[in-house]
Amino acid sequence: MVAKMDKSATDLLTSPGVSSLFKSLKLKTKQQELLIRVTILFLVYVLAFITRLFSVLRYESMIHEFDPYFNYRVTQFLTEKGFYEFWNWFDSESWYPLGRIIGGTLYPGLMVTAALIYWTIRFLRFSVHIREVCVLTAPFFASNTTLVAYFFGKELWDTGAGLVAAVLIAICPGYISRSVAGSYDNEGVAIFALLLTFYLFVKAVNTGSLAWALASAFGYFYMVSAWGGYVFIINLIPLYVMVLLITGRYSMRLYVAYNCTYILGMLLAMQIRFVGFQHVQSGEHMAAMGVFFLMQVFYFLDWVKHSLNDPKLFHTFLRITVTCAVGLGAIALGVGTASGYISPWTGRFYSLLDPTYAKDHIPIIASVSEHQPTAWSSFMFDFHILLLLFPAGLYFCFKRLSDATIFIVMYGLTSMYFAGVMVRLILVATPAVCLISAIAVSATIKNLTQLVRAKGKASHSASGKGTTSSKASSKGSLDQSLPFQRNGAIALLLGAFYLLSRYAIHCTWVTSEAYSSPSIVLAARGAHGNRVIFDDYREAYFWLRQNTPPDAKVMSWWDYGYQITAMGNRTVIVDNNTWNNTHIATVGRAMSSYEDEAYEIMRSLDVDYVLVVFGGVTGYSSDDINKFLWMVRIGGGVFPVIKEPDYLVNGEYRVDKGAAPKMLNCLMYKLSYYRFGELTTEYGKPPGYDRARGVEIGNKDIKLEYLEEAFTTSNWIVRIYKVKPPNNRSLKCVGIALLISSIAVTMSYEAAKLIPTTSSELWLCFHLGKARSVASPGFEKLI
Amino acid sequence: MREIRFDLLLLFIAFYVLLAPVLSDLVISKLDRRVDLSSQMVRTTTSLKVENNGVGTVSEILLPFPDHQAKDLAFLMVTISEGKGKIKGVSGSLPIRVVKPEETPPALSWYLVSLPKELGKGESISLDVKAVFTHILRPFPEKITQADIQLLAFQDSAYYLSPYAVKVQTLTVKLPEPKVESYTKLENTKVSGSEIKYGPYENLPSFSYTPIVVHFVNNKPFAVARELVREIEISHWGNVQVTESYNIHHAGALITGEFSRLDYQARPHVRGASAFRNLVAKLPPRAHSVYYRDEIGNISTSNLWGDSAKTLLEIEPRYPMFGGWRTSFTIGYGLPLQDFLFQSEGKRYLNISFGCPMDEVVIEKLVVKIVLPEGSKDISVSVPFPVNQLEETKFSHLDMVGRPVIVLEKSNVVPEHNQYFQVYYKFNSLSLLWEPLMLISGFFFLFVTCIVYMHADLTISKSSASYMAKLQWDEVQTAIQQFQNIMNRCMTVHDKIEASLRDLSRTGDVQACKAARKAADSLLKELSKELKPLLSFLQSSPQAVQILPKVEELVAKEKELQEKLMLKHSTVVDCYEKKLGGRETENRVASVQQKITLLRQEAEDLFEIIDEI
């Protein structure tokens, strides 16, 4: 059967029609090849764009997830108010009462890019909405990335590899996950900038041209303006240069490329306010500077060697100079660190180098799901066959080692390591994996087709001569040298195409099923297979926007901060820009305290509404109860009164009858399950059955004293509570105070309540509050 | 509330005294007043029969309304009734204007109705006065909880307020539900179901006034739009796009206390009786591309039905609307142009309805914007009631000077205002082509620039080494391409020779074979002649150093191949002429044949190598 198929395949290849086609192609090869290449690139460009539009077609043209809402809000501000207003924007709607200096605490690349696109389109007299521009920015840049991947592949290997790389990266799920339409996040632009910078740098190293180095510096500038991941570039490039120096590949080209890129890139990067002088002051950027000085030493030594012409003397000199240089560098670094001029590495950097670091030291980083170590399944999910092709590509790279291939090997290996540390960094590894796999695919297919074509030609030229014995003998002799070569080649070729087609199918499936849901609108299949939409988030945010006072402050866990400000247009206490750990810990503490203690905290923070996300009715599992342990941990990290074991029973986290008493009475539990005990969620289950956790809740009789239900969405996913004003409470206080007839305590309590500014007073506040909560049931009746 | 009523009472007693003798030529002989309270608007229909008992003729009738009602008077229409309940259309409505008769106190607003013909002595006329008031129903209590029902208070006079004496009059108050909390009891008051009847009262002098209050249950939607902006954009490509932005709130009793979703879900009609869930918009037939969204995106809770007479769009706000809650949204739809745009006397005119397509929505401020296509001239508007008119310019896709926009503003709009209005303008159909032409030319110039760029030489230094090298390399490349071309032709000639040999073995036509060879010979000679200058150029060019040996090798191989072929040809032909057997011929040729195969193979390889460069 196989033999028959092979035969038919060779027939096809040797048939006169095909051969004449080959010949006719050969006539104007250059133009025709160019035409085919441009057509393929254009198709890939379009493909990369349209494959990211699933979510627009399924749902609507909307912004996804959490961070993009902030970016969208900022972009709106930028297009409405102009650049200078944007730069000086102090946002009082977030981090109440601290506020946030937006211009100085963000990477403006994405917003400025979107605004520029918007203004250009407006200038061309197309009246589009800024939302459309924001939604389509990521797919647009993904398309551009395919072009860069093509040129990069061409630079690394050949045009074939470039084309394959463009196709692979256009549909690679690892990249699509962050660049579907609506995913208006820094990464969407940054991956383009990253790959562009790398490509331009490799081009600069290959040519030694100042122009390319300059372009690379500008690429780096764009990357710095777009994403904090630029730290990867500023460390990878020195590492690469270092490796070249060690392997004796130092050249003038490298010298020109690195010096120009580094110096100019550094100066340009300092123009971004959020980055500022970090390039000369932060430990994370010191490697680049060290390598820069090392290059100068290398150049100097080269010059000395050239002019000295005495190996022995030169060796002595070399030893002295290297010792001096290393010593000086170490002293400078030591002095800089000790004097505080050079800041030490940040926690995020440490957590990259040591995956367990964040879990022990910075719970707020560890609490983010995309900062978890990557599981094998997600590698397979995001890379599919690329995971297998990656080592093969590395083999080809090592086989044809050059400056460029060394770069891609290093990029691939380091980014693969980081991808293993954090799920979200799969994104950074994706271009490298695609490029290396493209080299593997291109080289393999090229080898195989050469074999097949050589055979085809031989048989063709032989068959042209009719059935002469000589032909048979010549053919036989060739075949004998490599038995089954042609068959094997064809089989392998078919196998390769099969794999690639599986890859394409997998990518489409993943994109449509996993990465194209906007997470703000949840969809499920109903009982009859119809699609049910849970639009509860927007219901709640829009309710906030319309039916609360414009200056209302909303407290929620930080995940929803950006969405509340962007969609609800209300001030929040904490949001996704987790710059102030203490503030977040305060909110975490309020959520994990008893209601009266929490009330004091909320009063001190001026909170009017509390928003919790609850999935018990719908079975939506990423709700606040499931995140609650992180609130406890983060709160406990700053305020030692909150202790994680209080919320656990034998180290187990439960919400049913066996749950810890503190758990059953803390604010988060109360707000999530308020009046839930009266609701029957599932047929055949007792009322108060939590579908997200599959248990019957432990505390069904929840009374709220200081809060009242203000709004609950139709599927109970978002619940909003109003914090009651304190007027009747102070009366009660006075009553209690009179009853215990301790005027001194009353006075100090009143004082504490009036100005709860310093922490000691706050403590007093909490302390008294607790005492009262124990006493209150009896006294309330008296009053 | 009670204070106000008391004040009013005093006021009217004052009138009574002052104005009784004035304006008494006319007498209302029969009057029926119906007050419809079944929605948030108060609709009063008054049928009155006016008699002229004076001396002179009368051509005008005065209709007074108390100021507190007049400020909420949204719509007033007077028609002549002919027979029972038969009312002429809108066109039959009589002209009304606001007047301020002298010697009248300021607490009344006066409307003057001009009669179509003068009323002589003893003559009478029957009129229907239709008035719609908004905002005069007061929720009482003003704040209710989620579980409470909404109670409203309505106050009016049991007697018709008129400057003329009224002989017989009745008043009927229609309630939405047969549930009355309380009502003012006078003589001749009857309650039957959801109707309260006052009267008949006979022979009342002018300016009679007796206040009544009805306190009743009304859970009808109290949807009030603070502002509605309707944008009607005409595209002469066949579409009228309507975009309506609503800013709605529930103007009934405010909700206080908790909103419990549990209660609302369990018994929505009890624990949420005062809330409204949905609104129905009655769109014109053949409305298409309907959308419903707000500032933060699409709202998925809407339904659409359509038949040949209308399209019904049922929209549900994101949350149930309780008293005092607000929401805002936008609905949009396209309409076929030919249903709404007509031509008359060289002008085009748009004929479309003015108000909001939703019944039972009161609009405090309605802004209707009509966006005409770019280049429209001589614009005029005709609206059946007074509106504010402004002009604007709007820039849309590919607009250079902007589209003229007519803005019509009107406050306090009720469904009765849902009448057709016309916008007349002149527009040249050829202007339609302007925008596509602009696009086409834009792309055209883009491509032209690309072509120019590809062909232009933008090098700054024409004498630099790299530039020269590049130029030379280009030349070498073209030369090599030509060379390949020639080589390929050589190969085809070789194939021809082989083919002629095969023909020979089949047909035995020696002459034809010889002729073929001659032709091939001459062709090859020509080709080698062509090849010579190319080769000499490649030899001279420094850029071609790398490729030259291969080229030369190929040329040599080709020569050899040619020779061998010729040799084979002559041998075979020889054999044929000598009539030797096939086997012997094959033997003779065999060695040559092997060489040819080898040479061919080598030539092919060389071809590929050159190709790759």
Side-chain angles (χ1 to χ4, degrees):
Chain A
M1 183 69 192
V2 174
K4 208 175 173 185
M5 263 177 64
D6 284 355
K7 201 161 184 256
S8 65
T10 38
D11 283 351
L12 198 75
L13 281 172
T14 52
S15 65
V18 175
S19 69
S20 71
L21 189 72
F22 276 139
K23 279 228 171 108
S24 70
L25 279 178
K26 250 183 188 168
L27 285 177
K28 296 171 277 177
T29 28
K30 287 289 174 276
Q31 279 97 331
Q32 290 209 350
E33 198 223 336
L34 185 74
L35 184 70
I36 291 174
R37 217 182 327 147
V38 170
T39 316
I40 291 176
L41 267 181
F42 176 73
L43 288 177
V44 171
Y45 193 89
V46 174
L47 172 75
F49 193 83
I50 59 173
T51 192
R52 285 163 168 80
L53 298 184
F54 271 113
S55 63
V56 172
L57 298 179
R58 293 246 173 91
Y59 296 88
E60 59 185 279
S61 162
M62 69 188 290
I63 307 284
H64 295 188
E65 308 273 344
F66 301 99
D67 288 16
Y69 269 97
F70 168 75
N71 300 332
Y72 174 54
R73 178 168 160 247
V74 174
T75 314
Q76 262 183 322
F77 186 90
L78 173 62
T79 49
E80 279 163 21
K81 303 268 171 75
F83 197 70
Y84 284 96
E85 281 290 312
F86 160 73
W87 219 226
N88 295 324
W89 184 17
F90 178 80
D91 177 22
S92 55
E93 283 202 359
S94 56
W95 292 95
Y96 184 84
L98 307 169
R100 177 182 175 188
I101 306 156
I102 298 283
T105 56
L106 55 45
Y107 294 101
L110 177 72
M111 299 90 188
V112 173
T113 308
L116 283 178
I117 295 174
Y118 175 68
W119 285 325
T120 313
I121 293 177
R122 294 297 286 223
F123 174 76
L124 291 175
R125 298 269 177 238
F126 289 97
S127 59
V128 293
H129 194 271
I130 180 69
R131 188 189 62 247
E132 315 295 339
V133 176
C134 291
V135 164
L136 296 179
T137 299
F140 173 63
F141 272 89
S143 294
N144 293 342
T145 309
T146 60
L147 288 190
V148 179
Y150 164 71
F151 285 110
F152 204 175
K154 194 177 156 194
E155 193 64 30
L156 291 171
W157 203 258
D158 56 15
T159 51
L163 280 179
V164 177
V167 178
L168 291 183
I169 204 164
I171 56 170
C172 185
Y175 184 30
I176 284 182
S177 68
R178 289 317 196 95
S179 62
V180 290
S183 170
Y184 179 56
D185 211 347
N186 290 337
E187 288 94 326
V189 173
I191 291 304
F192 165 76
L194 178 93
L195 205 60
L196 183 70
T197 313
F198 283 154
Y199 160 64
L200 292 171
F201 183 72
V202 168
K203 187 96 186 171
V205 171
N206 273 352
T207 55
S209 140
L210 260 180
W212 287 112
L214 186 72
S216 163
F218 275 102
Y220 178 65
F221 171 60
Y222 187 53
M223 176 69 190
V224 173
S225 77
W227 194 35
Y230 77 89
V231 179
F232 180 60
I233 300 185
I234 200 66
N235 283 297
L236 178 64
I237 286 181
L239 191 69
Y240 163 65
V241 171
M242 197 72 187
V243 167
L244 286 193
L245 291 185
I246 289 169
T247 50
R249 283 171 170 271
Y250 170 80
S251 63
M252 211 46 211
R253 291 178 286 119
L254 185 67
Y255 184 81
V256 170
Y258 183 71
N259 286 346
C260 176
T261 306
Y262 175 64
I263 293 294
L264 272 172
M266 180 173 74
L267 289 176
L268 285 170
M270 284 179 186
Q271 311 308 312
I272 306 294
R273 266 170 70 196
F274 191 33
V275 176
F277 290 108
Q278 278 188 22
H279 275 79
V280 289
Q281 285 188 339
S282 139
E284 286 152 20
H285 302 75
M286 280 303 126
M289 189 178 278
V291 169
F292 172 70
F293 286 119
L294 198 67
M295 289 286 277
Q296 313 314 317
V297 173
F298 238 84
Y299 186 66
F300 175 66
L301 287 175
D302 218 35
W303 176 73
V304 171
K305 188 183 179 186
H306 179 71
S307 49
L308 215 59
N309 257 342
D310 183 353
K312 213 177 167 188
L313 213 59
F314 175 70
H315 269 288
T316 332
F317 183 77
L318 181 73
R319 212 170 298 141
I320 294 167
T321 335
V322 168
T323 322
C324 284
V326 170
L328 266 177
I331 289 168
L333 198 67
V335 169
T337 316
S339 65
Y341 184 74
I342 297 174
S343 63
W345 289 354
T346 58
R348 277 168 211 256
F349 203 71
Y350 271 121
S351 62
L352 274 185
L353 299 181
D354 173 12
T356 58
Y357 180 85
K359 216 176 166 187
D360 300 334
H361 296 91
I362 335 167
I364 196 147
I365 290 181
S367 76
V368 181
S369 63
E370 57 186 23
H371 289 170
Q372 305 303 319
T374 318
W376 266 111
S377 55
S378 24
F379 271 119
M380 205 53 207
F381 200 63
D382 279 356
F383 289 142
H384 199 237
I385 59 158
L386 303 188
L387 210 56
L388 307 174
L389 291 172
F390 182 67
L394 286 183
Y395 163 75
F396 280 108
C397 287
F398 275 113
K399 222 173 115 188
R400 204 173 94 180
L401 221 49
S402 68
D403 288 358
T405 49
I406 289 179
F407 181 85
I408 195 67
V409 166
M410 293 203 49
Y411 174 29
L413 291 179
T414 49
S415 63
M416 265 312 228
Y417 168 73
F418 290 131
V421 175
M422 271 191 198
V423 181
R424 70 188 294 204
L425 292 182
I426 281 189
L427 180 71
V428 177
T430 305
V433 172
C434 286
L435 280 164
I436 292 176
S437 307
I439 288 173
V441 171
S442 167
T444 313
I445 289 183
K446 197 164 186 182
N447 287 348
L448 292 175
T449 43
Q450 255 167 11
L451 276 177
V452 172
R453 274 176 77 186
K455 291 290 117 183
K457 250 178 215 162
S459 61
H460 160 73
S461 51
S463 65
K465 270 161 249 148
T467 52
T468 49
S469 60
S470 61
K471 165 228 152 192
S473 69
S474 76
K475 196 184 169 216
S477 70
L478 271 169
D479 262 359
Q480 269 156 19
S481 64
L482 288 162
F484 304 120
Q485 195 184 27
R486 193 190 58 184
N487 290 355
I490 289 168
L492 282 175
L493 210 56
L494 286 175
F497 283 126
Y498 175 72
L499 273 183
L500 289 174
S501 65
R502 290 309 309 177
Y503 172 72
I505 292 166
H506 171 83
C507 290
T508 320
W509 176 76
V510 169
T511 313
S512 103
E513 293 296 316
Y515 290 140
S516 293
S517 52
S519 93
I520 188 124
V521 180
L522 310 167
R525 293 262 164 235
H528 308 290
N530 52 330
R531 205 168 66 142
V532 183
I533 283 185
F534 299 126
D535 203 357
D536 285 38
Y537 279 108
R538 287 194 294 185
E539 184 181 339
Y541 296 142
F542 203 67
W543 185 86
L544 275 179
R545 188 189 186 102
Q546 294 287 340
N547 299 313
T548 57
D551 61 342
K553 286 99 195 167
V554 182
M555 182 173 91
S556 72
W557 191 234
W558 58 264
D559 296 22
Y560 316 108
Y562 277 163
Q563 291 183 346
I564 294 172
T565 36
M567 281 191 276
N569 198 17
R570 291 294 174 267
T571 307
V572 293
I573 308 295
V574 290
D575 66 25
N576 308 46
N577 174 260
T578 52
W579 65 275
N580 187 330
N581 193 31
T582 317
H583 217 53
I584 293 178
T586 313
V587 172
R589 181 181 171 181
M591 293 295 191
S592 40
S593 306
Y594 291 121
E595 195 190 342
D596 48 356
E597 295 167 330
Y599 184 63
E600 297 297 337
I601 300 174
M602 290 188 294
R603 289 290 307 151
S604 70
L605 285 175
D606 230 1
V607 173
D608 298 308
Y609 290 91
V610 184
L611 182 147
V612 293
V613 171
F614 172 63
V617 177
T618 45
Y620 173 56
S621 62
S622 61
D623 64 351
D624 277 346
I625 288 287
N626 280 356
K627 289 173 186 168
F628 182 57
L629 267 196
W630 288 109
M631 300 181 204
V632 173
R633 273 177 209 154
I634 292 167
V638 178
F639 302 103
V641 267
I642 305 294
K643 293 183 196 72
E644 195 180 334
D646 289 351
Y647 300 86
L648 303 175
V649 177
N650 301 328
E652 212 184 325
Y653 180 64
R654 335 172 41 162
V655 295
D656 55 356
K657 279 204 176 63
K662 181 134 197 198
M663 177 72 207
L664 290 178
N665 287 298
C666 67
L667 184 69
M668 176 51 76
Y669 191 92
K670 278 182 147 187
L671 296 188
S672 290
Y673 291 120
Y674 179 63
R675 299 199 70 182
F676 181 65
E678 301 165 40
L679 182 76
T680 310
T681 52
E682 221 170 292
Y683 182 73
K685 291 282 195 296
Y689 179 75
D690 184 336
R691 290 177 70 189
R693 283 153 286 273
V695 290
E696 188 186 345
I697 58 166
N699 185 356
K700 286 191 187 175
D701 184 34
I702 294 171
K703 294 271 178 290
L704 289 174
E705 197 179 341
Y706 302 101
L707 295 120
E708 64 178 17
E709 188 177 355
F711 186 71
T712 297
T713 57
S714 48
N715 298 300
W716 292 54
I717 289 177
V718 184
R719 309 194 71 179
I720 300 170
Y721 292 85
K722 189 177 190 324
V723 181
K724 284 186 190 166
N727 47 3
N728 52 359
R729 187 187 57 96
S730 60
L731 262 177
K732 213 187 288 171
C733 276
V734 174
I736 295 158
L738 282 172
L739 273 168
I740 50 178
S741 66
S742 160
I743 295 154
V745 170
T746 321
M747 283 177 70
S748 70
Y749 177 69
E750 289 298 323
K753 200 172 65 61
L754 285 174
I755 337 161
T757 42
T758 63
S759 59
S760 66
E761 280 166 337
L762 264 177
W763 280 116
L764 187 63
C765 236
F766 299 149
H767 182 71
L768 278 167
K770 197 163 191 173
R772 194 165 47 78
S773 93
V774 174
S776 64
F779 293 136
E780 251 179 19
K781 278 173 200 153
L782 281 173
I783 296 159
Chain B
M1 220 158 65
R2 285 182 188 279
E3 274 176 30
I4 300 171
R5 218 188 314 148
F6 189 62
D7 290 349
L8 286 169
L9 201 64
L10 280 179
L11 214 63
F12 286 116
I13 291 166
F15 288 1
Y16 218 165
V17 179
L18 282 170
L19 293 168
V22 195
L23 304 162
S24 56
D25 281 355
L26 292 174
V27 170
I28 299 174
S29 57
K30 190 171 184 295
L31 187 141
D32 285 314
R33 200 150 55 104
R34 287 182 66 83
V35 179
D36 185 359
L37 300 179
S38 59
S39 70
Q40 56 165 323
M41 287 155 265
V42 176
R43 294 191 166 92
T44 63
T45 319
T46 315
S47 349
L48 38 93
K49 193 174 180 192
V50 184
E51 268 180 28
N52 187 1
N53 287 355
V55 186
T57 55
V58 178
S59 63
E60 285 164 336
I61 295 174
L62 278 171
L63 295 176
F65 288 98
D67 267 355
H68 71 281
Q69 282 187 352
K71 76 173 167 34
D72 291 321
L73 177 68
F75 183 77
L76 180 66
M77 187 173 78
V78 180
T79 48
I80 300 171
S81 71
E82 294 172 349
K84 272 194 177 171
K86 213 179 163 190
I87 298 169
K88 271 190 183 173
V90 179
S91 56
S93 69
L94 302 177
I96 302 167
R97 63 199 163 92
V98 181
V99 287
K100 186 102 180 98
E102 283 170 23
E103 296 175 50
T104 53
L108 287 180
S109 302
W110 296 87
Y111 295 86
L112 190 73
V113 182
S114 313
L115 296 176
K117 61 173 195 269
E118 292 190 334
L119 215 57
K121 185 176 182 295
E123 284 179 329
S124 71
I125 187 166
S126 290
L127 297 175
D128 276 324
V129 179
K130 196 176 179 198
V132 181
F133 302 91
T134 58
H135 300 97
I136 61 169
L137 291 175
R138 295 263 147 73
F140 189 81
E142 290 186 335
K143 285 187 179 178
I144 55 171
T145 65
Q146 184 187 349
D148 293 339
I149 46 172
Q150 184 170 263
L151 293 171
L152 298 174
F154 170 71
Q155 46 170 317
D156 200 359
S157 163
Y159 306 143
Y160 183 65
L161 182 65
S162 165
Y164 316 113
V166 185
K167 279 182 183 163
V168 182
Q169 63 171 308
T170 58
L171 167 67
T172 313
V173 180
K174 191 174 176 288
L175 304 177
E177 290 170 68
K179 289 179 191 164
V180 195
E181 193 80 2
S182 69
Y183 62 96
T184 313
K185 287 192 177 81
L186 299 174
E187 49 173 332
N188 283 345
T189 309
K190 263 189 295 180
V191 180
S192 60
S194 59
E195 280 191 348
I196 304 174
K197 272 191 179 153
Y198 289 94
Y201 304 112
E202 289 178 5
N203 291 327
L204 288 172
S206 56
F207 296 114
S208 300
Y209 188 87
T210 307
I212 52 161
V213 174
V214 183
H215 196 199
F216 63 101
V217 175
N218 185 348
N219 284 322
K220 288 278 151 63
F222 262 61
V224 173
R226 290 242 160 79
E227 191 179 49
L228 164 61
V229 180
R230 295 186 79 207
E231 190 180 275
I232 301 162
E233 183 162 358
I234 301 169
S235 160
H236 276 257
W237 294 99
N239 192 30
V240 177
Q241 181 67 36
V242 184
T243 314
E244 299 174 352
S245 311
Y246 292 84
N247 202 342
I248 281 187
H249 70 136
H250 187 300
L254 301 177
I255 184 175
T256 175
E258 286 196 337
F259 163 68
S260 168
R261 174 66 69 172
L262 181 72
D263 290 342
Y264 183 73
Q265 267 174 348
R267 287 185 295 167
H269 297 292
V270 180
R271 306 273 174 166
S274 62
F276 66 88
R277 280 169 174 251
N278 57 3
L279 295 165
V280 178
K282 213 180 274 174
L283 308 181
R286 292 198 290 287
H288 59 89
S289 334
V290 182
Y291 65 82
Y292 169 42
R293 55 174 299 132
D294 60 22
E295 291 127 297
I296 61 172
N298 181 48
I299 308 169
S300 51
T301 45
S302 60
N303 283 309
L304 189 72
W305 304 275
D307 56 29
S308 58
K310 64 189 179 301
T311 310
L312 280 185
L313 172 69
E314 185 203 0
I315 58 173
E316 219 174 288
R318 286 188 190 272
Y319 36 83
M321 294 289 292
F322 280 92
W325 285 13
R326 285 174 297 175
T327 190
S328 67
F329 55 85
T330 303
I331 60 174
Y333 46 92
L335 299 169
L337 186 74
Q338 70 271 17
D339 292 3
F340 296 94
L341 195 75
F342 308 96
Q343 260 179 326
S344 76
E345 297 157 15
K347 269 194 161 185
R348 294 160 198 270
Y349 72 95
L350 175 80
N351 186 32
I352 200 163
S353 68
F354 184 80
C356 147
M358 290 178 204
D359 287 344
E360 306 306 309
V361 175
V362 169
I363 300 144
E364 286 176 3
K365 186 184 177 195
L366 173 66
V367 181
V368 179
K369 295 181 175 180
I370 303 102
V371 184
L372 299 173
E374 198 176 23
S376 305
K377 293 183 296 279
D378 301 340
I379 304 158
S380 60
V381 185
S382 104
V383 189
F385 31 77
V387 289
N388 253 357
Q389 193 175 326
L390 303 167
E391 283 198 23
E392 279 178 10
T393 316
K394 183 192 170 181
F395 285 90
S396 186
H397 294 302
L398 299 172
D399 283 347
M400 299 311 276
V401 295
R403 309 184 177 190
V405 180
I406 308 292
V407 183
L408 307 173
E409 285 179 353
K410 178 159 177 56
S411 56
N412 232 356
V413 179
V414 291
E416 274 75 8
H417 287 116
N418 225 339
Q419 299 170 15
Y420 281 86
F421 72 102
Q422 292 79 34
V423 180
Y424 297 87
Y425 64 97
K426 277 186 177 163
F427 178 75
N428 188 353
S429 298
L430 278 179
S431 315
L432 267 187
L433 298 174
W434 176 243
E435 287 179 357
L437 277 179
M438 229 160 69
L439 261 188
I440 291 167
S441 53
F443 275 101
F444 178 73
F445 282 113
L446 183 76
F447 289 132
V448 166
T449 347
C450 283
I451 292 168
V452 168
Y453 174 77
M454 291 303 279
H455 286 266
D457 189 352
L458 298 175
T459 318
I460 298 166
S461 150
K462 305 271 181 203
S463 55
S464 77
S466 63
Y467 179 69
M468 300 302 280
K470 191 175 161 267
L471 276 190
Q472 279 173 356
W473 179 237
D474 282 349
E475 277 171 32
V476 169
Q477 268 185 329
T478 43
I480 284 176
Q481 216 149 52
Q482 282 170 346
F483 166 73
Q484 278 178 327
N485 214 339
I486 291 168
M487 278 297 139
N488 270 323
R489 273 154 73 194
C490 285
M491 289 299 171
T492 39
V493 173
H494 293 171
D495 284 350
K496 260 184 203 158
I497 295 173
E498 298 256 7
S500 74
L501 279 184
R502 275 201 297 281
D503 279 349
L504 180 67
S505 69
R506 208 171 57 240
T507 59
D509 190 351
V510 182
Q511 291 311 314
C513 188
K514 274 184 178 168
R517 177 173 172 175
K518 232 176 216 167
D521 265 348
S522 61
L523 250 177
L524 283 173
K525 246 174 216 158
E526 259 174 48
L527 285 175
S528 66
K529 239 185 233 164
E530 273 181 44
L531 203 56
K532 252 175 204 159
L534 274 179
L535 277 179
S536 60
F537 166 74
L538 283 177
Q539 274 157 356
S540 68
S541 168
Q543 291 281 328
V545 176
Q546 282 180 325
I547 201 168
L548 191 61
K550 300 282 176 199
V551 170
E552 277 171 346
E553 206 183 329
L554 183 58
V555 172
K557 291 275 187 261
E558 198 273 337
K559 273 259 161 62
E560 211 178 330
L561 187 61
Q562 203 174 314
E563 274 168 24
K564 294 288 176 222
L565 263 178
M566 293 304 165
L567 185 65
K568 181 187 168 193
H569 192 268
S570 41
T571 323
V572 172
V573 171
D574 231 29
C575 287
Y576 254 93
E577 279 176 342
K578 285 173 187 161
K579 305 258 171 12
L580 284 177
R583 182 149 294 280
E584 201 166 332
T585 322
E586 226 167 77
N587 280 344
R588 281 196 189 182
V589 182
S591 60
V592 184
Q593 182 61 45
Q594 227 163 14
K595 257 202 182 140
I596 288 174
T597 318
L598 253 175
L599 280 172
R600 247 180 209 277
Q601 192 66 42
E602 283 170 357
E604 294 267 337
D605 286 349
L606 278 172
F607 249 120
E608 254 173 45
I609 290 166
I610 292 170
D611 217 24
E612 264 168 39
I613 294 163

